[in-house]
Amino acid sequence: MNAVSLDAPYRDTDADQLCFSLDLTERPALAERVVSLGGLDVRLRLLGASHQVFAGPVGETVACLQGAVKGLPETCIRHLPGWVYDFGATTRRLVPEEFSAEVAQVLDQADDAEHSLCGVFPGSPDAVTAVVVETAEGPHGAGLVWRTWHTYPQNGQIVSTYSRLEAR
């Protein structure tokens, strides 16, 4: 497994504490990986409060943010000069056996991906944040797709996000 052991407390206490922003600058990162993909430098960043992805015109943050509106949008579409960005998020609550099996699948998926960053927080091997990015062809041309997972073993929640950035 290529997961990074993160040397920081697990700050997100519940999926409902997560916020979404496309307007934030870099936050302090616990781990970062830069990959060149689809003609872009993509920065995958794990925070003490979840993740940031910087790709082309997009700076996506999903994290616990002081003073921000809590909750993730089910969908968000932004039309940017030369690009379309599409975001979606779901939260599931699982019983402990299903939760651990699902986290194992997330870890395997991140490990198998060519371009990923995965961190495990101290205190539980099931406290994970993972980001996987890959190229994707769309109706308007080439683009990127990234998926993230944020796991909450204390209450069996897994937040999954799906983002697509496509050139127009």
Side-chain angles (χ1 to χ4, degrees), residues 21-38:
S21 176
L22 294 173
D23 303 319
L24 294 179
T25 58
E26 288 184 12
R27 297 296 197 231
L30 300 174
E32 181 173 11
R33 180 173 182 204
V34 179
V35 299
S36 292
L37 201 58

Side-chain angles (χ1 to χ4, degrees), residues 3-10 29-32 45-50 117-123 127-130:
V4 176
S5 293
L6 300 174
D7 185 21
Y10 193 59
L30 300 174
E32 181 173 11
R45 307 180 82 242
L46 302 183
L47 312 178
S50 299
L117 181 60
C118 180
V120 179
F121 289 87
V128 170
T129 299

Side-chain angles (χ1 to χ4, degrees), residues 20-25 52-61 85 146:
F20 171 78
S21 176
L22 294 173
D23 303 319
L24 294 179
T25 58
Q52 287 185 305
V53 173
F54 291 95
V58 171
E60 173 187 286
T61 303
Y85 166 80
W146 61 90

Side-chain angles (χ1 to χ4, degrees), residues 14-156:
D14 190 274
D16 295 340
Q17 299 299 308
L18 289 174
C19 307
F20 171 78
S21 176
L22 294 173
D23 303 319
L24 294 179
T25 58
E26 288 184 12
R27 297 296 197 231
L30 300 174
E32 181 173 11
R33 180 173 182 204
V34 179
V35 299
S36 292
L37 201 58
L40 298 173
D41 285 337
V42 181
R43 295 175 48 223
L44 310 176
R45 307 180 82 242
L46 302 183
L47 312 178
S50 299
H51 86 264
Q52 287 185 305
V53 173
F54 291 95
V58 171
E60 173 187 286
T61 303
V62 171
C64 284
L65 303 169
Q66 293 290 339
V69 175
K70 303 289 186 221
L72 299 177
E74 285 184 29
T75 62
C76 174
I77 297 174
R78 290 268 173 97
H79 295 272
L80 306 162
W83 299 91
V84 174
Y85 166 80
D86 189 3
F87 172 87
T90 59
T91 301
R92 294 180 299 141
R93 187 180 300 268
L94 304 169
V95 298
E97 304 78 35
E98 292 174 342
F99 180 84
S100 291
E102 186 77 17
V103 171
Q105 287 180 352
V106 167
L107 291 170
D108 287 345
Q109 198 166 353
D111 196 42
D112 291 345
E114 184 177 354
H115 305 291
S116 66
L117 181 60
C118 180
V120 179
F121 289 87
S124 172
D126 287 344
V128 170
T129 299
V131 185
V132 172
V133 62
E134 59 194 7
T135 57
E137 289 298 319
H140 301 291
L144 300 175
V145 169
W146 61 90
R147 290 164 295 166
T148 74
W149 297 268
H150 305 270
T151 67
Y152 299 88
Q154 67 276 18
N155 55 24

Side-chain angles (χ1 to χ4, degrees), residues 136-142 164 166-168:
E137 289 298 319
H140 301 291
R164 181 180 191 89
E166 187 177 305
R168 300 193 289 164

